[in-house]
Amino acid sequence: MDDWMAQNLHSLSEEDPVSLPYVHILLQTHSEQVSGNIAMSCSLLVPCPDRLMWESWRSSSFVTFSEHQEQRKQQVLRTYYLQVPSFAVGHDMYDYLHQFGDIKEVQLLPAVHDHNDAVSYLVEFATEAAATEFFQSASLPAEQRAVPMKSRFLRWTPMGRKHGMFAQTQTMQVLSQRKEKIPKQNHVSLSAEIQAYYEKVRLKDLDFRLSYLVCDQMEAALRACVLPFGSSVNGFGKQDCDLDMFLSVAQMGPLSKVPELTFLCKPGLTSARMQKQRYLELLGDLLISLVPGCMQVQRILRAKVPIVRFQHLFAKKDCDVSMDQVGPLMTELLWLLGEMDPRVRPLVFCIRKWAREVKVTSPVPGRWISNFQLTLLVIHYLQVVRPVILPSLRTLEALGGPDDIQVTSDGLECRYVRDLSIVTPSTNSSPVEDLLTGFFAYFHSFDFKHKGLSIRYAESVPKTYHQGVLYIENPLEPQLNASPNVVLEEVVRFQEQCRAALWKLENVNRTLASLMEPLEVEELGYKPYGLVDVSKIFHEEEPKSTNSTNQLQPKPLLSASARVPPSKMSSATSEPEPKKKASGKKSSVSNRIAT
C-alpha cells in the first residue's frame, strides 16, 4: 500500500510539477486491525490558501502607480460630495440627480455633527458629461457673508418637493462606523486570521475617493498640482489614517532637454527652504479664508519638513500639506513593493498591530520605532528570506528604463522600474504565519550594535557608532539614516518583544488574539532592560531577620578595598583606622538623600 501511494504521488508530480509547491500534502497512516486487514487513511491534496491567492494575484493585469493615480483622477471628475438637509429627502435627491444622466454609485457618508440633521452622500455619475452638466447647474450661495468658492463639495436644498425616504438599492452603499478589531474566527489558521484582519482595517474604495476629492478641491483653490502620498495611497494605510498631500509648483518627471520656450516668472528667494516656507504660509491663509471645510489650520514651518496641518470637516480627515518631493517617490516605491506579493501588506499590518499592542510603537512621534521604520524592517526581512520574496532596490533600478527616471528639483534621481510585469515573481510559497514567525526569529537575535539594514542591497551592512543605534539605510537617499530618532532602550524593547512573540507562537495557541496580548519579559527568564535595583545604588543591605540566625548575608556590591578612594588606598591597606562607635541607627535611603 505504501509503494502504491508513493508511486501515485510521484506520477502526480511528474504530470503537474508546479502543483507540489502549491498544495499542502498531509499523509497520515495508522494501522487498525479490522478483520485482519490493515486500513490506511490519506487526506486529499488540499490547495494552500496563500498559493491560490498568489495565483489570482499574478494572473490579474498589473497597473502601474501612475496609471492607478490617473484612474482615480478620472473617477474624481465624475464624483461629487453632496450635502442634503436630512435623510428623508434621499428619494427626491435621487430623482433630481437622474435628470442629468445615469448614476453609477451613491454612498452614504458619516454624519457631520456641525450641521444638525444634515446628511452627506458621495455621488458618482456614469459619464463625465453628466457630471459636468450637474456641476454647471450649481450656483454660489445667496448669503452675502459666504466666501465665493467653486469646488466639488455641494449642497442641495429641495424646493417644493415631496419628501421620501431613500430606499436601499444596489446603487447605494451605507458606510458604517468602522473600528479596528480582530475578527473572531474559530478553527482557522493564523494566516487566515491575518488576512481577515487586513481586509477589515485596510483602506476601502471610499477612503481613496475622499482623499482624491480633497486634493481636487485644493487644486481648484490653488491652481496648482496637489497629489496625495503616504499611507493614504501606498496601500499600507489603515482606515481613518491621515491624508498627506504634496503641493507641486515645479514639474517633476523624466529627464529631458532644456526647453526652448519658458514662462516669465518672478524671482524667488535664494534659499529653497525659505521659498517653500513662504508658499506654505500663503497656503495657510488661503485655507483659513477661502476653502470650505478646512478647520484648525496650523502652520508648522520650522520643522525639518515644513507642513500646513488642518482638519477637513466634510471628509473627516486630518490633512498635512508639504512640498517635499521625496514623499511621493517613497510612496510609489512602497506601493510597488506591496504590489509584488499579496503577502506583503497583510504581514505589515499584522506586525504593526502587534507592535502597537506591546508598546513598541506609539501614535505620538518620539524616540521609539515608527510605523514607517517597522515597514522597512519587514521589507528587509522579505528580501533576505530564502527563497527571496522581494528583490533589492538595485535589481529594480537595473530593470528600469529611460522612461522610469525621475529627478526632483533638489537633484534626487530615482530610476527604479515602474512596470512590475517584467519582474520575475518569487518562488517562495510560505504562508503568512511562517513569515511572521521568521520575522520574529530573525530580528530577536539581530546584531543591531554592529550591523545595519540596507534595502538597496537587500543585506545587512556594517555600521559605525555615528550612524545611530538603529541604522536603516534610506532607500532613496542612501547617505541618510531612516531611523535616527530611535534610542538604545527602544531597540532592546523591540528585540525583547520579538523574543516574547516567538515564544508565544511556539508554546501558546497560534492565534492572532494571543499574539497581541502583552507578555512580561520576566516570564521568559530574564529582567527587562533599564530596571535598576535602588538598594545597589546606595549599597544598602537587606535587614537581618530576627527569627533566623543562620541566614546567609547578602554580598556587598563592591569589596571593601574597591569602595576606598584611590588617594587613601595605601593608608587603608597598611594600617586601618580604629572603628568609631555608632551614634545611632543606620539612616534610611531617603534620609541620606536629604542630607
Side-chain angles (χ1 to χ4, degrees):
M1 182 68 70
D2 293 343
D3 296 339
W4 174 84
M5 183 171 295
Q7 183 178 1
N8 279 271
L9 290 176
H10 181 69
S11 61
L12 174 64
S13 62
E14 290 182 346
E15 294 176 2
D16 187 12
V18 188
S19 63
L20 282 184
Y22 291 19
V23 297
H24 171 63
I25 303 176
L26 176 62
L27 293 178
Q28 183 181 7
T29 60
H30 59 88
S31 300
E32 297 178 357
Q33 191 70 24
V34 181
S35 301
N37 297 327
I38 297 180
M40 173 175 289
S41 65
C42 173
S43 66
L44 298 177
L45 299 179
V46 182
C48 178
D50 295 281
R51 177 50 61 181
L52 293 179
M53 180 175 60
W54 168 256
E55 281 299 300
S56 61
W57 182 281
R58 297 303 301 183
S59 60
S60 59
S61 58
F62 177 76
V63 179
T64 63
F65 185 72
S66 300
E67 295 173 349
H68 172 74
Q69 281 188 322
E70 188 62 28
Q71 291 176 2
R72 289 295 180 181
K73 289 181 180 180
Q74 295 298 325
Q75 189 181 44
V76 166
L77 297 179
R78 305 187 304 268
T79 306
Y80 293 94
Y81 177 99
L82 189 61
Q83 187 181 97
V84 299
S86 65
F87 187 76
V89 300
H91 185 73
D92 295 337
M93 180 198 71
Y94 193 76
D95 293 339
Y96 175 78
L97 296 175
H98 250 298
Q99 67 180 347
F100 300 99
D102 295 335
I103 301 174
K104 184 177 180 180
E105 192 173 9
V106 177
Q107 297 192 37
L108 177 64
L109 300 178
V112 180
H113 301 290
D114 294 352
H115 288 75
N116 300 327
D117 297 332
V119 180
S120 302
Y121 297 93
L122 204 64
V123 181
E124 181 184 357
F125 287 91
T127 61
E128 188 175 341
T132 303
E133 183 180 356
F134 171 73
F135 182 75
Q136 291 176 352
S137 65
S139 303
L140 294 173
E143 295 90 348
Q144 296 181 357
R145 299 179 58 184
V147 179
M149 170 66 187
K150 293 183 179 181
S151 67
R152 297 186 180 275
F153 290 82
L154 305 172
R155 178 188 299 167
W156 179 73
T157 304
M159 299 296 181
R161 293 176 179 270
K162 184 178 180 180
H163 295 177
M165 296 294 291
F166 196 174
Q168 294 288 340
T169 61
Q170 294 182 355
T171 59
M172 177 178 177
Q173 299 178 2
V174 178
L175 178 66
S176 59
Q177 295 293 337
R178 301 166 296 188
K179 296 182 179 180
E180 180 185 347
K181 292 184 178 180
I182 299 176
K184 294 183 178 180
Q185 299 185 9
N186 298 325
H187 307 292
V188 296
S189 64
L190 180 58
S191 298
E193 286 189 86
I194 295 175
Q195 185 66 29
Y197 170 74
Y198 165 70
E199 294 294 339
K200 181 177 178 60
V201 303
R202 70 180 180 89
L203 291 175
K204 302 300 188 295
D205 178 72
L206 179 60
D207 299 289
F208 288 105
R209 292 190 182 194
L210 289 174
S211 298
Y212 280 90
L213 196 63
V214 173
C215 291
D216 181 83
Q217 183 190 33
M218 300 288 293
E219 288 184 346
L222 304 176
R223 303 297 180 183
C225 179
V226 180
L227 294 175
F229 73 95
S231 58
S232 59
V233 290
N234 62 14
F236 291 96
K238 297 189 305 182
Q239 296 169 1
D240 302 327
C241 66
D242 295 346
L243 172 59
D244 298 319
M245 290 177 284
F246 167 65
L247 173 61
S248 175
V249 295
Q251 185 177 4
M252 180 179 63
L255 287 173
S256 59
K257 298 180 180 179
V258 178
E260 297 181 0
L261 183 63
T262 59
F263 295 99
L264 290 175
C265 299
K266 185 176 182 178
L269 301 177
T270 55
S271 173
R273 176 180 173 84
M274 294 178 61
Q275 186 65 49
K276 293 179 181 179
Q277 291 175 337
R278 179 58 178 163
Y279 285 146
L280 294 177
E281 185 179 4
L282 296 176
L283 171 63
D285 295 335
L286 290 175
L287 295 178
I288 294 175
S289 58
L290 183 62
V291 183
C294 298
M295 304 176 60
Q296 300 183 7
V297 180
Q298 301 178 15
R299 304 178 186 88
I300 308 176
L301 305 180
R302 295 186 179 274
K304 182 178 180 180
V305 178
I307 62 173
V308 173
R309 178 169 296 169
F310 65 94
Q311 293 182 358
H312 202 283
L313 176 64
F314 304 139
K316 300 189 69 174
K317 288 182 176 294
D318 296 329
C319 306
D320 294 337
V321 183
S322 67
M323 301 185 66
D324 184 23
Q325 297 180 351
V326 180
L329 296 177
M330 185 68 71
T331 299
E332 184 175 5
L333 176 61
L334 293 179
W335 189 84
L336 290 172
L337 294 174
E339 289 289 313
M340 288 184 182
D341 194 283
R343 297 164 292 182
V344 176
R345 291 189 177 114
L347 181 62
V348 170
F349 272 64
C350 177
I351 293 178
R352 281 184 176 182
K353 174 65 175 176
W354 161 82
R356 181 73 174 273
E357 294 295 330
V358 299
K359 311 302 181 183
V360 171
T361 60
S362 174
V364 181
R367 61 180 189 175
W368 34 81
I369 300 176
S370 64
N371 281 336
F372 171 69
Q373 296 159 357
L374 202 61
T375 303
L376 295 182
L377 292 178
V378 177
I379 292 174
H380 170 76
Y381 167 71
L382 296 179
Q383 289 178 331
V384 299
V385 71
R386 294 295 181 266
V388 175
I389 295 180
L390 295 180
S392 64
L393 189 56
R394 295 280 294 180
T395 303
L396 298 180
E397 291 177 349
L399 295 175
D403 297 336
D404 296 322
I405 302 177
Q406 290 189 0
V407 181
T408 66
S409 59
D410 299 332
L412 178 63
E413 180 177 332
C414 299
R415 53 175 67 243
Y416 49 82
V417 64
R418 265 71 179 178
D419 185 7
L420 293 184
S421 60
I422 63 176
V423 179
T424 304
S426 172
T427 58
N428 191 315
S429 59
S430 301
V432 180
E433 57 182 296
D434 291 349
L435 298 178
L436 179 65
T437 305
F439 174 85
F440 293 136
Y442 178 77
F443 281 109
H444 100 275
S445 60
F446 190 85
D447 186 11
F448 286 104
K449 183 178 181 180
H450 302 95
K451 295 181 180 180
L453 310 178
S454 175
I455 307 296
R456 177 174 294 271
Y457 294 96
E459 61 182 4
S460 59
V461 294
K463 71 163 189 175
T464 61
Y465 174 78
H466 302 285
Q467 290 178 324
V469 177
L470 175 62
Y471 177 70
I472 305 177
E473 184 183 69
N474 192 305
L476 300 182
E477 299 176 281
Q479 71 278 7
L480 300 180
N481 182 11
S483 55
N485 60 300
V486 183
V487 297
L488 176 61
E489 181 180 356
E490 299 302 324
V491 175
V492 175
R493 185 195 309 275
F494 169 69
Q495 290 193 293
E496 288 174 350
Q497 294 299 335
C498 284
R499 181 179 179 182
L502 186 63
W503 181 85
K504 285 188 288 186
L505 289 175
E506 294 177 351
N507 299 276
V508 191
N509 296 332
R510 294 175 66 91
T511 61
L512 201 57
S514 62
L515 179 65
M516 300 303 169
E517 294 179 359
L519 179 65
E520 297 296 335
V521 292
E522 286 88 345
E523 301 181 27
L524 302 178
Y526 64 95
K527 285 188 176 182
Y529 175 83
L531 298 183
V532 181
D533 190 356
V534 180
S535 62
K536 292 184 178 181
I537 297 179
F538 299 98
H539 313 298
E540 188 173 77
E541 299 178 357
E542 295 290 338
K544 297 181 181 180
S545 176
T546 57
N547 299 330
S548 177
T549 57
N550 297 328
Q551 190 175 10
L552 294 177
Q553 300 297 329
K555 295 181 179 180
L557 182 64
L558 298 175
S559 61
S561 60
R563 291 199 297 268
V564 178
S567 59
K568 299 181 180 181
M569 181 66 70
S570 58
S571 60
T573 54
S574 59
E575 187 177 353
E577 297 180 0
K579 295 183 179 180
K580 295 182 180 180
K581 187 178 295 185
S583 59
K585 293 183 179 180
K586 190 176 183 180
S587 60
S588 62
V589 175
S590 59
N591 292 335
R592 268 185 270 179
I593 294 177
T595 57

